[in-house]
Amino acid sequence: MGKDKKTSDQEFVTPYFRTNAGYDDEEFCHVNKSELSDEIVKLEKKLVKRLDYVYVMPCVSMLLAIQFLDKSALNYSAVLGIRDDVNLDDTQFGWIGSIFFIGYLFYQFPNAYFIQKLNLGKYLGAVAIIWGTVLALTSLSKNFVHLAIFRFLLGVFEAAVFPCATMLICKVYRRKEQVVRIGLIYISGGAALAIGGIMSYGIGHMDNVAGVKAWQWIMIILGCFTVTFGVVSFFLLVDDPKQIAKSDIERLIIEHRMKDNAVVVTRKINYKQIIEALHEIRFYCFVGLSFFVSLQNGALSVFSSIITKGFGYSNLHAILLSIPSGIMDCFFILVAIICQRRYNHSIIYIACGMLLVATLGLLLLLVIPLPQAKLIGLYLCYAYVASIIMVVSSIANNVSGYTKKIFYNCASIFFSTIGNFVGPQLMVSSQKPLYIGGMLSYIISNLLSIVLLLVARYFMSKSNKRRAKNTISGDTIEVFDRSLDITDREDSQFIYTL
């Protein structure tokens, strides 16, 4: 095994060792895989496969994909006649896109409370049933007010999905396993973008079938599917891997996996951990980044089909041309994951690189006159999604303390939601089809996001060096019981993943 291989790939945390390894069975420590019982290694692999293929990742990935499709239903409906049928001008349409995020914003703090208090599997299944019902009812809208109410309610109930999904992954997977899983749920969103284009193209030919408009069929079909899968998730999705343990050994393996992922679940809100978060500079870097990068996200989720149509393509062709956007979304995510696994302490740098690619795409949209080049620019813009994954993974890996982790996640979503709300408002109708003001705003926001990422990395790196220096110099290090709900700042042995 080469020296450049990441330490996290060489090490494995478990209480079970070969009899000649010389460790106490109750001791929690890092050991090489070669020192583990083959039987225990196999048992853990089987356990992870059950989480990956049955009880967690299929439900979470599908819910994220459905959420993306449902949120984007308005984008597809834009070129299928909803604006004419409901008498929306460009300003009203922008507000319909933004009001979703007002609902999303409104629910973040209640959602943080419910994440701490409720079973996440049951909770996610229930909100999926409700938001699917709301989406299906959106097809009944006759005017701006109706659409605004339904979009607000859709935002409220979809707001639970991403924070819950992130916390679930943090709870059931090791720190080194989390980046890939978070990447996979975003890939499901990219796949949904591609599939949604194909689906909407087909539904576009259903106009006036049974007297129902094509845009209404999109709402009805997606809403009914969401309700159905919400029922499946309610009964299948687990938030505690002990629920699927088949033996006492598996339960012990799960206990030590939970210690490794730095998440000790508690139903009691620890306000001290929230205050600690508010005193950290990186907290403001992450929430500021969440706002700035989401400006572009909010605009693309609502206006991408309109932007494509502005290049001179027909309504249905504009929808078809959204398919490569989903493919490029998945491509950038895979590149980011591969780079993160290959290079040690690279999460923040990868996020910066992806934001630079997205900025290049925005420049192509702005300054190149050829429609083909503009399309390439639009597709490059989706590199920003990979940067979001790296940031979410950084928070998942580098924040411990259950209340603190929830607070970090929900605060990031809160400011992301504000960005998603503001983003579409920057696309002024008088500036179409280039939307110069919006594009320049997104370019500046991406560059500011890079600065914030580097500042956050600097402070985490500084902490790592200080802790490493203390270890080398032999300074007294306080050792905590890993079954306690302690934060990364309280744990002097916690090393940040950069």
Side-chain angles (χ1 to χ4, degrees):
M1 190 175 294
K3 291 182 180 180
D4 292 335
K5 185 68 175 174
K6 293 176 70 175
T7 303
S8 60
D9 287 335
Q10 296 174 332
E11 296 181 333
F12 192 82
V13 184
T14 180
Y16 300 99
F17 313 106
R18 296 188 188 279
T19 56
N20 61 353
Y23 294 108
D24 183 344
D25 281 355
E26 296 301 321
E27 185 181 8
F28 181 77
C29 54
H30 292 268
V31 297
N32 291 330
K33 286 186 176 181
S34 60
E35 295 175 340
L36 296 172
S37 160
D38 291 336
E39 180 184 355
I40 300 304
V41 173
K42 290 178 181 178
L43 277 175
E44 179 163 18
K45 286 182 178 179
K46 288 180 180 179
L47 176 67
V48 173
K49 283 183 179 179
R50 295 207 301 275
L51 295 172
D52 282 344
Y53 300 127
V54 181
Y55 294 105
V56 176
M57 290 307 298
C59 290
V60 170
S61 297
M62 183 61 75
L63 285 171
L64 264 292
I66 292 171
Q67 182 207 28
F68 187 88
L69 280 173
D70 292 355
K71 181 174 64 176
S72 301
L74 182 66
N75 179 38
Y76 300 126
S77 300
V79 292
L80 292 177
I82 189 172
R83 289 191 294 175
D84 294 332
D85 291 342
V86 189
N87 297 316
L88 298 177
D89 58 32
D90 284 349
T91 301
Q92 288 177 319
F93 184 75
W95 273 104
I96 292 298
S98 292
I99 204 167
F100 171 93
F101 297 105
I102 296 179
Y104 209 93
L105 187 69
F106 171 81
Y107 195 64
Q108 283 310 311
F109 288 109
N111 187 47
Y113 176 83
F114 291 135
I115 288 175
Q116 184 115 32
K117 296 291 185 180
L118 300 179
N119 179 296
L120 296 184
K122 304 296 184 187
Y123 179 45
L124 269 175
V127 295
I129 293 169
I130 297 172
W131 103 58
T133 303
V134 170
L135 181 61
L137 292 174
T138 305
S139 65
L140 301 176
S141 299
K142 302 297 182 184
N143 53 45
F144 171 77
V145 175
H146 293 168
L147 268 178
I149 292 172
F150 283 124
R151 287 286 293 179
F152 174 83
L153 292 174
L154 190 66
V156 167
F157 295 109
E158 285 197 26
V161 180
F162 185 75
C164 286
T166 305
M167 286 306 301
L168 266 174
I169 290 174
C170 291
K171 286 173 67 174
V172 305
Y173 289 103
R174 295 183 182 277
R175 290 176 70 191
K176 69 177 184 181
E177 298 167 348
Q178 291 170 9
V179 175
V180 174
R181 272 72 184 183
I182 291 172
L184 286 174
I185 64 174
Y186 270 97
I187 285 176
S188 69
L193 180 61
I195 293 170
I198 298 171
M199 179 197 68
S200 299
Y201 181 79
I203 294 175
H205 292 86
M206 294 176 61
D207 197 30
N208 288 320
V209 172
V212 178
K213 297 289 187 178
W215 67 266
Q216 292 175 308
W217 275 119
I218 287 178
M219 308 287 186
I220 294 168
I221 292 171
L222 287 176
C224 291
F225 182 75
T226 302
V227 170
T228 302
F229 197 78
V231 173
V232 172
S233 298
F234 184 86
F235 292 104
L236 184 62
L237 183 59
V238 299
D239 77 337
D240 183 355
K242 290 181 182 178
Q243 294 174 309
I244 63 169
K246 296 180 178 180
S247 66
D248 291 338
I249 294 178
E250 282 195 354
R251 275 185 283 274
L252 287 172
I253 292 173
I254 290 167
E255 286 179 6
H256 284 269
R257 282 176 59 83
M258 292 174 72
K259 292 176 182 178
D260 179 51
N261 65 18
V263 175
V264 178
V265 178
T266 174
R267 300 301 180 193
K268 182 180 179 181
I269 299 174
N270 190 331
Y271 292 100
K272 180 182 175 182
Q273 293 185 4
I274 295 176
I275 294 171
E276 178 180 298
L278 291 171
H279 282 85
E280 294 178 350
I281 294 176
R282 65 172 180 152
F283 171 79
Y284 298 98
C285 291
F286 282 134
V287 298
L289 162 77
S290 298
F291 169 78
F292 287 124
V293 81
S294 296
L295 293 173
Q296 177 180 324
N297 179 66
L300 289 178
S301 65
V302 176
F303 281 90
S304 60
S305 292
I306 296 175
I307 292 171
T308 308
K309 185 182 176 184
F311 300 159
Y313 299 102
S314 67
N315 287 348
L316 290 178
H317 282 139
I319 290 178
L320 276 181
L321 288 170
S322 69
I323 296 173
S325 298
I327 295 172
M328 291 301 294
D329 191 342
C330 295
F331 170 76
F332 286 124
I333 293 171
L334 286 172
V335 170
I337 291 173
I338 291 169
C339 289
Q340 187 276 330
R341 289 175 65 83
R342 185 176 182 86
Y343 301 106
N344 206 12
H345 292 303
S346 60
I347 288 181
I348 300 297
Y349 289 146
I350 293 170
C352 293
M354 289 298 171
L355 284 172
L356 287 175
V357 174
T359 302
L360 174 62
L362 290 168
L363 286 170
L364 289 176
L365 280 173
L366 194 59
V367 302
I368 304 298
L370 293 175
Q372 296 88 340
K374 287 184 178 293
L375 268 179
I376 293 172
L378 180 62
Y379 299 149
L380 289 177
C381 287
Y382 285 91
Y384 80 93
V385 178
S387 71
I388 293 175
I389 292 169
M390 294 296 106
V391 173
V392 172
S393 299
S394 182
I395 294 174
N397 276 254
N398 294 322
V399 180
S400 66
Y402 196 59
T403 300
K404 183 178 179 181
K405 190 182 287 283
I406 292 173
F407 182 72
Y408 254 83
N409 276 294
C410 290
S412 296
I413 295 294
F414 182 86
F415 282 92
S416 173
T417 305
I418 297 176
N420 277 296
F421 171 78
V422 174
Q425 302 305 317
L426 299 175
M427 304 288 277
V428 181
S429 59
S430 61
Q431 296 178 347
K432 64 182 183 181
L434 289 179
Y435 297 102
I436 295 175
M439 296 302 168
L440 287 175
S441 298
Y442 307 143
I443 290 171
I444 294 170
S445 296
N446 284 349
L447 296 177
L448 286 173
S449 297
I450 292 172
V451 172
L452 290 173
L453 280 170
L454 294 176
V455 171
R457 189 185 192 280
Y458 167 77
F459 282 101
M460 289 191 289
S461 176
K462 184 178 179 181
S463 178
N464 282 353
K465 290 175 181 177
R466 183 178 66 251
R467 291 175 177 180
K469 182 179 179 181
N470 290 340
T471 301
I472 294 171
S473 64
D475 291 352
T476 301
I477 297 175
E478 187 174 1
V479 179
F480 289 92
D481 181 352
R482 295 284 176 169
S483 63
L484 298 177
D485 181 31
I486 60 173
T487 68
D488 49 278
R489 288 184 69 178
E490 293 171 332
D491 184 358
S492 56
Q493 294 178 296
F494 191 99
I495 299 299
Y496 297 106
T497 302
L498 305 177

